[in-house]
């Protein structure tokens, strides 16, 4: 149907086909151009915070960053000393986040397999509902929960790596469940039937066909979930506390992580330096915080790159 | 070894809905049996009950017996997985595993079941299965390319090779050529004619010329109206069905007066 004006349609002579094909529609062209500009502007506005964030982190963080900064802890560092590093925080972040992934990925993936391949009726609906509720749990509440859980067994004031890992798992499991579930639902039913019709039992079909086919998407989802929790601060402040030295033991005592380190350094603020103190840097705490932030951003970036490489290896073979 | 299938008083349900009622038929070994009928008459549903693929759908169940070599497939002690190893299936749309190469697809039935197979046995099985599916000449130089790199017709023959690689006794085919062009269809039909020397074949088809060309016996299913279960109207030698059917409904259907 030609969308000519209703007013002219009744009286005016019918336009010829030639007219219909060649008459320029100025209004549509204008709208088209305006909308192009609007969406381009929206894109640019969305890029401003991202680009400026990366720029600020880079420009503020790079001058403190050095192999020394990455290789030492904060043990024995005080005041405005031109010393100290984040080795203990990197170790803590990797250990705690890794432990959280070890807990969350099997539980989350199996839950998703249950929901997609087995779940029927009330139980499946209840699981879906609680997974949705868990997605919205504030991270500080997850931290309090993990602290309270460990305090039951180990007494009040307990601080240890696994408690932090449990807190992060509470945040991570729903993300893993959701993303894995989406990926499993994308696997065509025909592939399940093809496998079953070959006399392959259901569990093998799930492991070797369904999970294998969706592996690339699941890996991406898991990495996003890791990226989601690696920057968590509040729950780790509660469960891990704050410490200046290196701790490799997830089951014993306080641990530092990068986000908590950043918060801690920033909250200490400017150092009051006397003019005669030559090695005193007034802004040292801010400098360390920015450098640690840069390291954290780089770690997240590396995880994303790793996820892409792994996902590409698992991706279904392309035709031709 | 091909087996004869004896179906007695079979009712097929989706939940409470009876989709197919009262089917009794004998499917002869080493022959091609075609199931024809209008859409929704339950012929595909019936086909899927022959290797217990029907029950994969939630709520689906069956009453009656399907006897293979004297064993009722729906007996309590019969394992559906074992049934499917004896009675293979080829689907309407080619469905090679996208993560596997051509050779891996042929070996899928073996590998997915974690059965050990030596490298030379595997190579032999790939070759014999692909030869059996008339695909060997076309793919022998690219066995390690993904299965999805083949054309639709080749993919369907790959699926047939995959099905015969587990050495079943019966092959069920659910409209195996309906998604293919005429030349690929011809290739599949020629293949069916060869396969019937070794296997019992049951094929669902919408194409009556195809049923007439490939099958020895034909069963006509019909449904009187939506909501009613589909029923087996008659079953006879293909030549008889297409020349002197005993039922009016069959004659109307094959002469194109309805459906």
């Amino acid at each position: 149907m030609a969308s000519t004006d209703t007013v002219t349609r009744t009286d005016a002579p019918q336009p010829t086909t030639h007219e219909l094909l060649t008459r320029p529609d100025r209004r549509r062209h204008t709208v088209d151009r305006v909308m192009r500009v609007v969406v381009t502007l929206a894109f640019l506005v969305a890029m401003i915070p991202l680009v400026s964030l990366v720029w600020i982190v880079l420009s503020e963080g790079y001058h403190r960053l050095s192999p020394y900064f990455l290789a030492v802890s904060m043990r024995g560092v005080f005041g405005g000393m031109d010393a100290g590093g984040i080795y203990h925080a990197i170790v803590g972040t990797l250990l705690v986040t890794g432990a959280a992934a070890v807990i969350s990925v099997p539980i989350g993936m199996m839950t998703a397999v249950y929901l997609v391949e087995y779940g029927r009726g009330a139980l499946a609906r209840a699981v879906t509902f609680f997974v949705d509720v868990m997605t919205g749990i504030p991270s500080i509440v997850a931290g309090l929960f993990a602290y309270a859980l460990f305090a039951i067994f180990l007494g009040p004031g307990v601080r240890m790596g696994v408690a932090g890992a449990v807190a992060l798992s509470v945040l991570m499991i729903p993300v893993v469940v959701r993303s894995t579930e989406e990926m499993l639902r994308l696997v065509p039913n025909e592939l399940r039937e093809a496998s079953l019709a070959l006399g392959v039992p259901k569990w093998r079909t799930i492991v070797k066909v369904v999970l294998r086919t969706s592996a690339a998407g699941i890996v991406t989802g898991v990495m996003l979930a890791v990226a989601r929790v690696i920057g968590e601060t509040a729950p780790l402040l509660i469960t891990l506390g704050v410490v200046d030295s290196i701790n490799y033991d997830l089951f014993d005592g306080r641990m530092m992580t990068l986000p908590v380190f950043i918060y801690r350094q920033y909250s200490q603020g400017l150092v009051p330096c006397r003019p005669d103190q030559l090695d005193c840097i007034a802004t040292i705490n801010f400098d360390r915080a920015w450098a640690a932030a840069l390291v954290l951003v780089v770690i997240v970036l590396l995880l994303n790159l790793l996820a892409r490489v792994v996902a590409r290896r698992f991706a279904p073979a392309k035709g031709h | 070894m091909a087996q004869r299938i004896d179906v007695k008083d079979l009712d097929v349900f989706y939940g409470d809905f009876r989709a197919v009622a009262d089917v009794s038929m004998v499917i002869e070994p080493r022959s091609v049996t075609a199931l024809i009928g209008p859409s929704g008459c339950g012929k595909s549903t019936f086909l899927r009950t022959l290797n217990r693929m029907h029950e994969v759908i939630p709520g689906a169940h069956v009453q009656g017996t399907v006897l293979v070599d004297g064993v009722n497939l729906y007996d309590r002690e019969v394992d559906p997985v074992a049934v499917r190893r004896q009675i293979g299936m080829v689907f309407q749309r080619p469905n090679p595993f996208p993560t596997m190469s051509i050779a891996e697809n042929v070996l899928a039935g073996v590998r997915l079941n974690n059965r050990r197979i030596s490298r030379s046995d595997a190579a032999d099985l790939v070759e014999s299965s692909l030869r059996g599916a008339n695909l060997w000449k076309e793919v022998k130089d690219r066995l390690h390319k993904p299965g999805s790199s083949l054309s639709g017709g080749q993919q369907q023959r790959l699926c047939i090779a995959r099905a015969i690689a587990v050495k079943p006794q019966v092959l069920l085919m659910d409209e195996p050529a309906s998604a293919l062009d005429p030349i690929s269809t011809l290739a599949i039909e020629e293949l069916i004619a060869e396969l019937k020397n070794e296997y019992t074949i049951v094929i669902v088809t919408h194409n009556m010329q195809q049923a007439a060309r490939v099958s020895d016996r034909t069963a006509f299913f019909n449904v009187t109206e939506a909501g009613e279960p589909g029923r087996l109207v008659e079953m006879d030698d293909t030549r008889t069905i297409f020349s002197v059917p005993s039922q009016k409904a069959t004659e109307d259907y094959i002469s194109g007066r309805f459906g």
Side-chain angles (χ1 to χ4, degrees):
Chain A
M1 291 288 140
S3 59
T4 44
D5 284 347
T6 41
V7 189
T8 56
R9 189 180 285 173
T10 43
D11 305 326
Q14 289 291 315
T16 65
T17 307
H18 183 265
E19 275 176 332
L20 284 172
L21 289 174
T22 54
R23 184 198 300 156
D25 188 342
R26 291 194 198 290
R27 200 181 147 272
R28 191 168 60 79
H29 279 290
T30 319
V31 171
D32 178 53
R33 209 154 293 163
V34 169
M35 288 315 290
R36 266 173 208 244
V37 171
V38 168
V39 291
T40 310
L41 278 179
F43 164 73
L44 290 176
V45 169
M47 289 301 288
I48 290 171
L50 182 66
V51 171
S52 61
L53 181 142
V54 171
W55 172 247
I56 290 177
V57 171
L58 268 175
S59 60
E60 298 273 350
Y62 86 96
H63 60 89
R64 188 75 218 166
L65 200 58
S66 65
Y68 167 83
F69 185 71
L70 295 176
V72 300
S73 73
M74 289 293 288
R75 187 159 199 168
V77 177
F78 55 86
M81 269 170 74
D82 183 7
I86 56 168
Y87 182 71
H88 61 314
I90 295 176
V91 166
T93 286
L94 295 182
L95 281 177
V96 173
T97 315
V102 167
I103 298 170
S104 318
V105 171
I107 294 178
M109 272 177 57
M110 286 194 241
T111 306
V113 166
Y114 169 78
L115 286 175
V116 176
E117 306 290 338
Y118 294 94
R120 304 262 177 281
L123 182 59
R125 275 200 299 277
V127 172
T128 308
F129 175 73
F130 283 113
V131 167
D132 283 348
V133 172
M134 273 175 81
T135 318
I137 287 183
S139 60
I140 185 84
V141 177
L144 281 172
F145 161 76
Y147 169 75
L149 182 71
F150 278 77
I152 294 173
F153 301 107
L154 301 166
V158 60
R159 298 271 193 281
M160 59 166 68
V162 278
V166 166
L168 293 188
S169 300
V170 172
L171 300 169
M172 216 176 141
I173 287 172
V175 184
V176 175
V177 173
R178 272 292 147 159
S179 56
T180 308
E181 196 187 340
E182 301 287 321
M183 291 304 138
L184 295 185
R185 288 197 198 282
L186 284 182
V187 176
N189 227 5
E190 291 143 35
L191 296 184
R192 294 183 180 89
E193 294 201 331
S195 176
L196 292 173
L198 290 171
V200 180
K202 183 167 181 173
W203 73 273
R204 272 195 195 286
T205 299
I206 292 170
V207 173
K208 296 205 165 183
V209 175
V210 179
L211 287 176
R212 176 65 190 81
T213 308
S214 52
I218 293 175
V219 169
T220 311
V222 166
M223 287 301 177
L224 285 177
V226 169
R228 156 93 174 71
V229 298
I230 202 168
E232 280 298 343
T233 317
L236 298 182
L237 205 51
I238 295 174
T239 49
L240 302 183
V242 171
V243 70
D244 284 341
S245 46
I246 302 161
N247 179 6
Y248 292 107
D249 191 351
L250 280 168
F251 296 92
D252 183 32
R254 292 157 184 266
M255 272 182 140
M256 195 49 131
T257 57
L258 283 168
V260 175
F261 178 88
I262 296 167
Y263 165 75
R264 173 86 169 152
Q265 291 295 314
Y266 215 91
S267 63
Q268 283 176 340
L270 283 173
V271 181
C273 285
R274 294 195 312 274
D276 58 317
Q277 277 181 304
L278 289 176
D279 69 340
C280 180
I281 305 172
T283 60
I284 185 78
N285 291 329
F286 295 134
D287 295 346
R288 287 200 200 102
W290 280 113
L294 178 57
V295 171
L296 187 56
V297 169
V298 169
I299 289 177
V300 172
L301 195 74
L302 289 178
L303 281 175
N304 268 308
L305 287 177
L306 182 70
R308 273 165 192 262
V309 172
V310 176
R312 188 163 299 171
R313 282 209 49 183
F314 277 125
K318 294 273 187 302
H320 311 294
Chain B
M1 196 179 57
Q3 286 289 349
R4 159 190 162 119
I5 305 174
D6 244 315
V7 182
K8 284 180 190 151
D9 307 323
L10 194 76
D11 286 329
V12 192
F13 296 85
Y14 289 106
D16 296 331
F17 173 64
R18 187 160 72 152
V20 179
D22 270 346
V23 176
S24 297
M25 69 163 72
V26 174
I27 294 165
E28 297 293 343
R30 289 173 211 275
S31 70
V32 179
T33 302
L35 310 180
I36 60 169
S39 294
C41 70
K43 54 194 189 306
S44 289
T45 301
F46 171 74
L47 185 78
R48 290 169 63 96
T49 60
L50 297 180
N51 71 341
R52 297 190 63 170
M53 281 300 288
H54 175 62
E55 65 201 43
V56 170
I57 298 160
H61 59 105
V62 163
Q63 281 171 8
T65 55
V66 179
L67 291 171
V68 175
D69 199 18
V71 179
N72 179 11
L73 299 185
Y74 286 92
D75 257 356
R76 192 165 296 204
E77 64 259 34
V78 172
D79 178 0
V81 171
V83 169
R84 292 172 200 145
R85 284 179 190 162
Q86 300 305 316
I87 305 179
M89 191 159 194
V90 176
F91 296 85
Q92 182 174 0
R93 290 218 341 240
N95 52 3
F97 295 117
T99 55
M100 299 182 191
S101 70
I102 292 168
E104 285 166 340
N105 260 291
V106 176
L107 293 172
V110 177
R111 290 268 166 80
L112 290 178
N113 279 311
N114 261 16
R115 248 174 287 151
R116 290 186 174 276
I117 182 167
S118 74
R119 198 172 281 245
S120 61
D121 285 353
D124 289 347
L125 182 60
V126 168
E127 181 170 347
S128 64
S129 304
L130 286 172
R131 278 190 195 281
N134 285 344
L135 191 59
W136 175 251
K137 280 187 199 137
E138 289 155 68
V139 301
K140 63 173 189 253
D141 298 324
R142 45 175 175 152
L143 291 174
H144 298 288
K145 290 272 170 62
S148 48
S149 67
L150 299 175
S151 75
Q154 290 173 325
Q155 286 187 22
Q156 192 63 303
R157 278 179 282 150
L158 176 60
C159 292
I160 294 174
R162 182 175 69 184
I164 59 182
V166 295
K167 303 202 163 60
Q169 306 186 16
V170 180
L171 261 187
L172 308 178
M173 299 185 167
D174 190 355
E175 299 183 42
S178 69
L180 307 179
D181 69 282
I183 291 170
S184 305
T185 302
L186 186 65
I188 300 279
E189 287 181 6
E190 284 172 352
L191 176 57
I192 291 171
E194 288 170 27
L195 290 173
K196 80 171 182 185
N197 297 321
E198 280 182 77
Y199 304 95
T200 304
I201 294 176
V202 186
I203 174 173
V204 165
T205 178
H206 270 295
N207 181 331
M208 280 176 282
Q209 287 78 25
Q210 183 171 65
R213 283 192 298 262
V214 303
S215 73
D216 302 301
R217 287 174 67 78
T218 298
F220 172 61
F221 283 73
N222 201 5
V223 60
T224 46
E225 55 185 298
E228 288 290 304
R231 287 168 196 276
L232 174 62
V233 176
E234 69 173 305
M235 180 175 186
D236 212 327
D237 285 345
T238 298
R239 207 168 298 162
T240 315
I241 287 273
F242 281 96
S243 51
V244 279
S246 57
Q247 301 288 322
K248 179 83 168 60
T250 315
E251 195 184 337
D252 287 350
Y253 183 72
I254 59 176
S255 60
R257 244 165 281 168
F258 86 98

